[in-house]
Each structure stands twice: as structure tokens, then as C-alpha cells.
């Protein structure tokens, strides 16, 4: 009989992933406080969120042995709330991907649709929740990385308003776009986890107090399923291009909401036609700057180069980064280089302001906007790896929300005829988390 | 094809600026892929100029000494250190 690793490894030690779908990079057991709103709950944490004493790899060979000396603010809050942290979940390298296939620790399978990608970049977080290996999980959403895997794995994910949740201790990819967000089987549980991690943090100057925006933090109470009188705007630009089975499922969910007293009307968001390229210019530009810190001197992988500083730096980064990371760092450097800054980066900032303006106008006569979270059902493993542009276009419905700094939730709706999960996204006004939670809770 | 389609030399030049060595196959793949990606970026030309009314405020705090990582903790992840310093490759 084989030896069970649990018999020979002390609880609390890091062990290899125990799931058969590669959901974790590192499994562990970090006990929280005895009492608190999450006492008795297990929470998995995406592997780009710092955990003191437990390695935090960002899905990269560059950080395979990196052990943070401090906890991210959200991790401190999980512990204080009594949660038990089960491990660090697999992800696209540094969050750069939509399928969790770019991880240096291998791809994660989709427990809800084996053989298909779990979405990404927080694919491991959505997978462990879908498989029931953790009650809840934290992901991060820079251009859809919480909502996309939630949709593909048939669970709930929330991307909070920019500034609602502290990013202190999150390894930065694109600071101006990203937020940490909860993933859970139901809207109510996702809202409970959001309550624990939300709120201002002196260590993150971009956090804001929701109460100064006429909101409060009673998110779970908003999951009452009451959509009577809710006004839903449907941006045609985000529905029409989607896969037919996805749109069928979307309209069934709208019918369901109407039968519960909600109403819908079409809205126009012409700016979203430019959201994907604006997102990629901004995200890659920020990434090229953020990832400059990986020099093989202060932390992380270091090559055995005999060369000078610049040569050693370039060799360390060639060996430590995967191809998608190199692609984005090089493209970001290009977009910021002399002669191209105005053409790409400045135009992308204009597009971002335009997207914000469009959403603000649409949300002035609708409570929420609704669209399919992803325009397609989960792809088969390996399907798009060689064609980065095709994968970038799958982010069409999620990236506009990050550009606009708004909150959004993805909830599971009717599956395709092949049994593949489909997600519906509700977008609300800034600090309108309770509105999207209420809308989502009518469906999940 | 984008007006700004890049050739392999451009890819090598920018990769050099970014301090990322690429092998020949990566340079070839990136040259092809960048043509598609930059063509999509070029569509940003159609974006109108938009008034940006950012409501940004500086977040200030008193300049006081706080507890922070010890030197040993800060050096713990360094591949090489010497006498309390990070040790890097030679500068030239």
C-alpha cells in the first residue's frame, strides 16, 4: 500500500498538489482565529497574493522558491475572520492569460468540464471551488481573471470596484486595473467573503471607504434575490458577437429575471469596440514596468551568467519568464518607447476615459448592465495557445469593466447543450456592489 | 498588415531595452504575432479625444518611523548576499 503523504508530512508543511486537476501550486493549512465570520470555512488563495512563510510563485519559474516575509492585507483579514487557508492556487503566469495554461506548474483542468480550460487567470481558484476542495477562494481580476474562470467553472465571481479591496501584498501585474475578488459556489457566500476582505487599508493608498460613496459593507444581506423593479441595460455590442448557445442561455436568464419583476432595455456602448486593445496596451505597459523588479538579485530565480549586470539581468529573465510574459513585457516596452507612447499609450488612456463615460451614461438609466461573461463556452485544452490574439479577443466582455473601474459579478446560468458552463455578468455603478449582488442572487 | 509591422531586428531591439533575451525561434514567433497585435492596437486611432475628469487626491501620511522588515528578512529571498547587502553581478 502506498504511503499517504499526510502520514509523513506535518500538517502545516507545504505539500505537492493533492488534486487530480492541478488546482493548487502549493497546499498547506494556515489556521485562522477561532472565532469570526469565516470560522470553519476553508479558503484557497491565488498564488500571486503574499502569504507569510508560504511560497508565492505567481505561477512562474521566476518565483518558484520565493517565500514572502509578510502577509497581504487580504490574507491577514482572512485569518482574523477565522478562515482556514488551504493552499495557493494555480494561475496563468503573473496573471497573464485567460486559460491557466501559461503557468510554469502546468495547466489546470476544469472540474466542471474535464478536458476544457478552467478559464483564467484565476483558474486554480475557480477550479478548487467548483470541485469542492475549498469552500471559497480569492482570485484577482485585471481584465476578467475572476469572472472568466468563475463563468467557465460554473461558480460565482465578483470583481469589486477599483479601490474597494486592498492590493497590499498582491504581486503587481497592472496596478491601475486589478482588484482582488471572491469566488464561491453561491452569490451569498461570495458576498460574505467580500465583506471580510473589503475596506480601506493604510498600506494601499488607492483604497477608498465605500461609506464615503453612499454605500456600506453589508454585502451578504443584499443577496436576497429581490429583483422586482430592477432595470437592466443590455449592451448589444457585448451580446450580439457571442456564441449562439451562449446568447440563448443569456436571453433565458433575462426571461427568468423578467418573470421575477425586472425589466430590460437595450443600450449602446460604442466605446467597448476598442476596449480589448486599450486594455492590452495599458496592461502590457504597466506590466513592462512592474516586472522590471525581477532582476535575479533581490529575490527570485537567478541565472548562472558570467556577464555584466545587463547581460545577467537579460539571461535571468529569459530563463525565468514564460513566453506569454516575455511577449507582454516586450510589447509593453514597445508601446511606451519613444515615438510610440502618444500613438498607443495616450490613445489607450483616451479609450479608457471613453469607456468610463459610456458606462456612466448607460448606468444613469439602468440599475445594472447585463451581458454574457464570456462570449464563448470553455475552450478545449491547448486550443488557442499558439494564437495570442484569438485569446485576447475572448476578453471582450470583461476588460471594459476594469477600464471603467466598476464592480461586476459573474453567475452561472443555463449550460450549453454539451453541458459546458456559461456565465452571466452584471455590471453596476462604482461602489454599487449590493446592486449587482442582489441581481446575481436572483439567479444563483 | 499594420504600417508599423515590426521586423526581427525591431523585436530584438525592444527585447534588449526590456532586458529579456530571446532565442531565434521566439524572435520569429514574436515578429509574426506582433503584426496581428499591433494591427489591433492601431485601431485606437479611431478613438476620439475624451475629456478626462479624474477625481484624484493625494494620500498623505506623517513621515514617521514604523516597524518594517528586519535586514535578515529583507535579504532572505536574495540569491546572494554579503555582509547585509544584496550581491549583484558586476556592473561593467
Amino acid at each position: 500500500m502506498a504511503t499517504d503523504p499526510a502520514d509523513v508530512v506535518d500538517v502545516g508543511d507545504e505539500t505537492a498538489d493533492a488534486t487530480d486537476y492541478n488546482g493548487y501550486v502549493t497546499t498547506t493549512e494556515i489556521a485562522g482565529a477561532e472565532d469570526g465570520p469565516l470560522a470553519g470555512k476553508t479558503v484557497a488563495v491565488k498564488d500571486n497574493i503574499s502569504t507569510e512563510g508560504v511560497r508565492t510563485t505567481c505561477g512562474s519559474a521566476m518565483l518558484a522558491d520565493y517565500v514572502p516575509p509578510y502577509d497581504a492585507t487580504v490574507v491577514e483579514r482572512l485569518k482574523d475572520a477565522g478562515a482556514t487557508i488551504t493552499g495557493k492556487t494555480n494561475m496563468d503566469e503573473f496573471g497573464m492569460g485567460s486559460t491557466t495554461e501559461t503557468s510554469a506548474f502546468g495547466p489546470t483542468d476544469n472540474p466542471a468540464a474535464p478536458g476544457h480550460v478552467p478559464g483564467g487567470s484565476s483558474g486554480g481558484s475557480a477550479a478548487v471551488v467548483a470541485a469542492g476542495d475549498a469552500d471559497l477562494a480569492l482570485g484577482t481580476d485585471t481584465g476578467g481573471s475572476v469572472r472568466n474562470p468563475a463563468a467557465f467553472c460554473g461558480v460565482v465571481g465578483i470583481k469589486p470596484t477599483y479601490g474597494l479591496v486592498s492590493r497590499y501584498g498582491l504581486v503587481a501585474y497592472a496596478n491601475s486595473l486589478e482588484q482582488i475578488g471572491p469566488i464561491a459556489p453561491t452569490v451569498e457566500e461570495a458576498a460574505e467573503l467580500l465583506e471580510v476582505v473589503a475596506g480601506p487599508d493604510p498600506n494601499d493608498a488607492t483604497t477608498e471607504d465605500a461609506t464615503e460613496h453612499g454605500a456600506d459593507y453589508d454585502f451578504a444581506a443584499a443577496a436576497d434575490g429581490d429583483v422586482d423593479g430592477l432595470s437592466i441595460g443590455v449592451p448589444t455590442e457585448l451580446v450580439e458577437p457571442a456564441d449562439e448557445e451562449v446568447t440563448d442561455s443569456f436571453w433565458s436568464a433575462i426571461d427568468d429575471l423578467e418573470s421575477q419583476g425586472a425589466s430590460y432595455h437595450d443600450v449602446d456602448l460604442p466605446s467597448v469596440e476598442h476596449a480589448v486593445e486599450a486594455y492590452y496596451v495599458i496592461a502590457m505597459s504597466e506590466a513592462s514596468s512592474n516586472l522590471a523588479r525581477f532582476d535575479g538579485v533581490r529575490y527570485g530565480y537567478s541565472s548562472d551568467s558570467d556577464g555584466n549586470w545587463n547581460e545577467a539581468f537579460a539571461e535571468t529573465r529569459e530563463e525565468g519568464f514564460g513566453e506569454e510574459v516575455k511577449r507582454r513585457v516586450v510589447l509593453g516596452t514597445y508601446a511606451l518607447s519613444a515615438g510610440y507612447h502618444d500613438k498607443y499609450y495616450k490613445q489607450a488612456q483616451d479609450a479608457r476615459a471613453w469607456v468610463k463615460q459610456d458606462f456612466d451614461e448607460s448606468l444613469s438609466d439602468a440599475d445594472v448592465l447585463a451581458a454574457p461573461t464570456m462570449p464563448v463556452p470553455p475552450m478545449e485544452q491547448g486550443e488557442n495557445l499558439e494564437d495570442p490574439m484569438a485569446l485576447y479577443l475572448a476578453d471582450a466582455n470583461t476588460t471594459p469593466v476594469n477600464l471603467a473601474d466598476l464592480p461586476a459579478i459573474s453567475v452561472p446560468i443555463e449550460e450549453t447543450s454539451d453541458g459546458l458552463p456559461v456565465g452571466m455578468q452584471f455590471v453596476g455603478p462604482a461602489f454599487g456592489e449590493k446592486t449587482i449582488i442582489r441581481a446575481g442572487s436572483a439567479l444563483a | 498588415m499594420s504600417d508599423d509591422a515590426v521586423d526581427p531586428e525591431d523585436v530584438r531591439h525592444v527585447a534588449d531595452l526590456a532586458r529579456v533575451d530571446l532565442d531565434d525561434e521566439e524572435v520569429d514567433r514574436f515578429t509574426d504575432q506582433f503584426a496581428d497585435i499591433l494591427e489591433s492596437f492601431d485601431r485606437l486611432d479611431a478613438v476620439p479625444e475624451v475629456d478626462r475628469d479624474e477625481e484624484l487626491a493625494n494620500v498623505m501620511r506623517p513621515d514617521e518611523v514604523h516597524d518594517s522588515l528586519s535586514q535578515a528578512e529583507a535579504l532572505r529571498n536574495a540569491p546572494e548576499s554579503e555582509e547585509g547587502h544584496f550581491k549583484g553581478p558586476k556592473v561593467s
Side-chain angles (χ1 to χ4, degrees):
Chain A
M1 200 178 136
T3 311
D4 183 342
D7 295 335
V8 289
V9 179
D10 288 343
V11 173
D13 274 7
E14 295 169 15
T15 57
D17 182 17
T19 67
D20 59 5
Y21 51 88
N22 200 27
Y24 287 106
V25 173
T26 303
T27 51
T28 183
E29 187 179 310
I30 305 171
E34 275 182 32
D35 289 320
L38 295 180
K41 298 270 189 187
T42 54
V43 183
V45 175
K46 188 178 181 180
D47 209 18
N48 58 350
I49 298 172
S50 300
T51 40
E52 182 180 353
V54 177
R55 71 168 179 166
T56 296
T57 70
C58 294
S60 181
M62 184 65 87
L63 292 177
D65 300 314
Y66 172 68
V67 179
Y70 67 99
D71 274 332
T73 297
V74 294
V75 170
E76 279 181 0
R77 289 181 182 176
L78 286 181
K79 289 180 176 176
D80 290 348
T84 299
I85 296 172
T86 53
K88 307 299 295 293
T89 56
N90 201 9
M91 55 181 285
D92 282 298
E93 188 177 0
F94 287 104
M96 300 181 187
S98 318
T99 62
T100 314
E101 292 174 294
T102 70
S103 169
F105 299 87
T108 297
D109 196 9
N110 185 337
H116 294 75
V117 301
S121 63
S122 314
S125 289
V128 298
V129 170
D133 286 320
D135 296 325
L136 307 164
L138 288 180
T140 62
D141 192 313
T142 310
S145 286
V146 162
R147 291 161 286 155
N148 159 341
F152 277 7
C153 291
V155 295
V156 174
I158 299 175
K159 182 263 165 197
T161 305
Y162 188 79
L164 186 79
V165 179
S166 169
R167 290 178 295 110
Y168 181 68
L170 164 64
V171 181
Y173 155 29
N175 322 48
S176 81
L177 297 160
E178 58 207 3
Q179 277 287 290
I180 293 169
I183 295 175
T186 65
V187 172
E188 187 174 9
E189 290 164 288
E192 284 168 1
L193 178 52
L194 184 60
E195 275 188 30
V196 166
V197 296
D201 175 12
N203 284 328
D204 176 358
T206 64
T207 52
E208 292 186 64
D209 188 343
T211 61
E212 288 172 13
H213 296 269
D216 62 53
Y217 294 97
D218 297 332
F219 301 132
D224 57 12
D226 180 6
V227 290
D228 193 22
L230 184 81
S231 166
I232 302 170
V234 176
T236 46
E237 291 87 351
L238 301 183
V239 180
E240 279 171 4
D243 175 273
E244 194 180 333
E245 286 209 66
V246 170
T247 51
D248 287 350
S249 177
F250 171 79
W251 287 116
S252 301
I254 292 286
D255 287 347
D256 184 356
L257 293 164
E258 276 191 303
S259 73
Q260 298 183 56
S263 63
Y264 87 89
H265 61 273
D266 289 340
V267 299
D268 269 331
L269 292 176
S271 64
V272 302
E273 307 280 1
H274 294 285
V276 169
E277 52 263 28
Y279 167 78
Y280 276 98
V281 168
I282 292 169
M284 289 171 176
S285 298
E286 292 187 22
S288 72
S289 167
N290 276 321
L291 272 61
R293 61 173 60 102
F294 299 108
D295 55 11
V297 173
R298 291 162 295 168
Y299 33 67
Y301 174 80
S302 187
S303 78
D304 291 329
S305 172
D306 294 327
N308 68 25
W309 182 277
N310 285 334
E311 290 158 355
F313 198 176
E315 280 175 48
T316 287
R317 291 154 67 79
E318 176 184 27
E319 294 162 19
F321 287 149
E323 186 160 322
E324 183 63 27
V325 173
K326 292 180 201 171
R327 187 157 37 238
R328 294 193 191 192
V329 166
V330 173
L331 276 166
T333 304
Y334 183 77
L336 291 178
S337 61
Y340 292 101
H341 176 275
D342 281 2
K343 179 175 171 54
Y344 294 122
Y345 190 74
K346 187 178 162 295
Q347 297 268 32
Q349 294 295 355
D350 274 334
R352 183 172 189 172
W354 188 22
V355 169
K356 275 187 199 185
Q357 202 176 69
D358 257 3
F359 272 96
D360 286 349
E361 278 169 22
S362 299
L363 285 164
S364 66
D365 41 49
D367 298 315
V368 294
L369 305 181
T373 309
M374 295 298 289
V376 290
M379 295 76 99
E380 286 180 21
Q381 297 273 357
E383 198 177 310
N384 284 109
L385 269 183
E386 299 305 315
D387 186 355
M389 197 60 221
L391 265 185
Y392 298 168
L393 290 171
D395 299 336
N397 288 10
T398 50
T399 51
V401 178
N402 300 78
L403 292 171
D405 300 335
L406 298 176
I409 189 169
S410 178
V411 298
I413 53 175
E414 197 182 321
E415 295 177 344
T416 67
S417 53
D418 292 334
L420 298 175
V422 178
M424 170 128 160
Q425 171 177 244
F426 294 102
V427 184
F431 298 98
E433 270 75 9
K434 291 175 82 168
T435 310
I436 57 168
I437 285 166
R438 183 164 282 120
S441 67
L443 297 173
Chain B
M1 186 67 79
S2 162
D3 294 341
D4 298 297
V6 294
D7 62 32
E9 273 318 295
D10 296 329
V11 172
R12 280 184 210 282
H13 173 65
V14 180
D16 189 46
L17 293 176
R19 306 279 186 265
V20 182
D21 281 350
L22 300 175
D23 63 33
D24 291 346
E25 286 173 20
E26 281 175 321
V27 169
D28 287 346
R29 272 199 300 278
F30 283 10
T31 304
D32 285 348
Q33 292 163 350
F34 287 7
D36 275 355
I37 296 168
L38 292 173
E39 188 178 347
S40 88
F41 289 180
D42 284 344
R43 300 202 312 120
L44 290 168
D45 280 342
V47 171
E49 209 164 303
V50 178
D51 277 344
R52 300 181 212 156
D53 48 349
E54 301 280 355
E55 292 167 32
L56 297 177
N58 279 327
V59 177
M60 311 294 275
R61 62 169 171 77
D63 186 17
E64 292 166 351
V65 176
H66 289 271
D67 287 340
S68 62
L69 296 180
S70 67
Q71 192 179 48
E73 286 170 319
L75 288 170
R76 196 169 66 196
N77 280 284
E80 273 195 274
S81 63
E82 196 174 290
E83 294 174 19
H85 297 85
F86 294 108
K87 189 174 178 190
K90 59 182 186 274
V91 175
S92 60

